[in-house]
């Protein structure tokens, strides 16, 4: 009898231990809620690098979360207008979007600074400001009234200055020019120089150039805007207007907060990983496209550096635009002050390290 009771006690204890362990493990096995999101990009599917970045992010998130968070990606104008993604996510019509911050800067001028600033920081500087400066804090603060949670997306910079039908010898040559240029501070500099800045969504740029609606156009880099060689001969660099352009992955606040902590962290880290994937892809593909322009289209296309005098004049106009825009709202003033302070910090290092390196390499070649 004593042995039987001992056996039952041990068996009961083992069963209790097993039951407890199963109960503790149960939430991770069966009680995992699943989330279905919709994300709209500001670009058509034909822009495989930029729209494809959102598709890759969604795939990464679904795989790493074991299917707990699934993001369905739609191209611009598919479920919401290309330039309407900000408002749609703000209202909760969609849970997320990928785009360029300046597209919706009419909501708050301060938004401009989170994309790029003419003659401002390069992609490394933008990333450092975001992670090591006040960039993320200020961006979240700027988007809070719109019920949005911003995250810095891939950088598609440095860019080129654009395709032109006529040569640019000075800033005065922008006068009377109808130029497709993205929303942003650079857009306003072209206007101040006497040109007409035309904002056309990516899907319509090529057709507008071919029909003569515009005289010049900037888009991104050689890989994405190679087709413009059919409409213009002169391809200018550097992209003074967008030296450090970064995109954004932004989420509806309610949808983001509804995610468990681990999924929020997974999503944030997946966005940062996508920056690396995109940067490598962008760097390689632009290099290949530039080589093609120089070889296959030799004699038809001229790749030219903007004259120093023109850049000096454009920089002066840019300073005026930045000052004017930063004075529009207290938030814009605050963000501009942070941006300028951080650029003053990293600028000397960029000049000594990367700048000097490229100058020496160019001089030795």
């Amino acid at each position: 009898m004593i042995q039987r009771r001992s056996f039952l006690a041990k068996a009961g204890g083992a069963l209790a231990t097993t039951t407890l362990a199963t109960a503790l493990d149960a939430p991770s096995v069966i009680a995992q809620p699943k989330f279905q999101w919709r994300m709209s990009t500001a670009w058509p599917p034909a822009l495989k690098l930029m729209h494809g970045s959102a598709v890759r992010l969604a795939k990464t998130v679904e795989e790493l979360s074991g299917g707990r968070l699934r993001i369905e990606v739609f191209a611009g104008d598919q479920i919401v207008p290309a330039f309407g993604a900000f408002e749609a996510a703000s209202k909760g019509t969609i849970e997320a979007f990928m785009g360029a911050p300046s597209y919706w800067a009419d909501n708050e001028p301060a938004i401009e600074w989170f994309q790029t600033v003419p003659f401002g920081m390069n992609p490394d500087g933008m990333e450092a400001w975001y992670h090591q400066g006040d960039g993320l804090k200020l961006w979240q603060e700027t988007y809070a009234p719109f019920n949005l949670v911003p995250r810095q997306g891939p950088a598609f910079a440095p860019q080129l200055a654009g395709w032109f039908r006529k040569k640019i010898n000075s800033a005065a040559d922008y006068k009377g020019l109808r130029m497709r240029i993205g929303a942003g501070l650079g857009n306003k500099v072209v206007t101040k120089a006497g040109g007409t800045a035309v904002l056309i969504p990516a899907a319509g740029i090529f057709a507008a150039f071919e029909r003569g609606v515009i005289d010049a156009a900037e888009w991104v880099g050689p890989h994405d805007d190679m087709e413009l060689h059919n409409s213009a001969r002169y391809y200018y660099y550097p992209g003074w207007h967008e030296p450090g352009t970064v995109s954004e992955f932004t989420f509806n606040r309610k949808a983001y907060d509804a995610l468990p902590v681990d999924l929020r962290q997974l999503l944030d880290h997946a966005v940062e990983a996508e920056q690396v994937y995109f940067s490598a892809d962008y760097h390689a593909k632009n290099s290949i496209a530039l080589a093609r322009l120089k070889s296959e289209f030799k004699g038809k296309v001229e790749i030219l550096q903007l004259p120093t005098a023109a850049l000096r004049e454009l920089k002066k106009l840019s300073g005026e635009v930045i000052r004017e825009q930063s004075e529009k709202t207290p938030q814009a003033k605050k963000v501009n002050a942070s941006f300028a302070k951080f650029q003053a910090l990293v600028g000397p290092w960029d000049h000594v390290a990367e700048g000097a390196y490229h100058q020496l390499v160019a001089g030795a070649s």
Side-chain angles (χ1 to χ4, degrees), residues 147-300:
N147 305 310
L148 295 172
V149 178
R151 294 291 181 261
Q152 190 179 73
F156 39 101
Q159 299 195 5
L160 272 71
W163 292 85
F164 296 78
R165 285 203 171 101
K166 68 174 186 178
K167 283 192 174 183
I168 300 296
N169 297 307
S170 70
D173 289 324
Y174 280 87
K175 189 172 183 180
L177 206 64
R178 295 168 299 171
M179 182 175 183
R180 188 281 168 193
I181 182 169
L185 297 169
N187 177 307
K188 297 171 180 62
V189 174
V190 168
T191 300
K192 187 174 277 288
T196 300
V198 183
L199 179 59
I200 301 171
I205 298 174
F206 303 111
F209 220 159
E210 289 177 357
R211 296 199 313 269
V213 175
I214 51 178
D215 310 305
E218 69 79 34
W219 175 220
V220 191
H223 175 74
D224 288 305
D225 53 39
M226 258 188 80
E227 289 183 38
L228 292 175
H229 79 270
N230 291 315
S231 303
R233 179 182 183 88
Y234 308 110
Y235 197 21
Y236 276 99
Y237 68 91
W240 57 271
H241 62 300
E242 295 191 52
T245 316
V246 292
S247 60
E248 63 177 306
F249 284 112
T250 290
F251 317 121
N252 171 270
R253 165 59 70 184
K254 185 177 180 181
Y256 183 81
D257 287 347
L259 296 176
V261 173
D262 66 318
L263 284 187
R264 290 202 300 268
Q265 292 179 339
L266 184 153
L267 181 60
D268 288 348
H269 285 298
V271 167
E272 292 176 5
E274 179 54 30
Q275 290 180 312
V276 178
Y277 300 148
F278 184 97
S279 178
D281 199 14
Y282 181 79
H283 194 73
K285 285 185 168 62
N286 275 329
S287 301
I288 293 168
L290 181 64
R292 284 190 60 202
L293 283 172
K294 289 183 173 181
S295 58
E296 295 178 32
F297 303 99
K298 187 176 182 179
K300 184 178 181 181

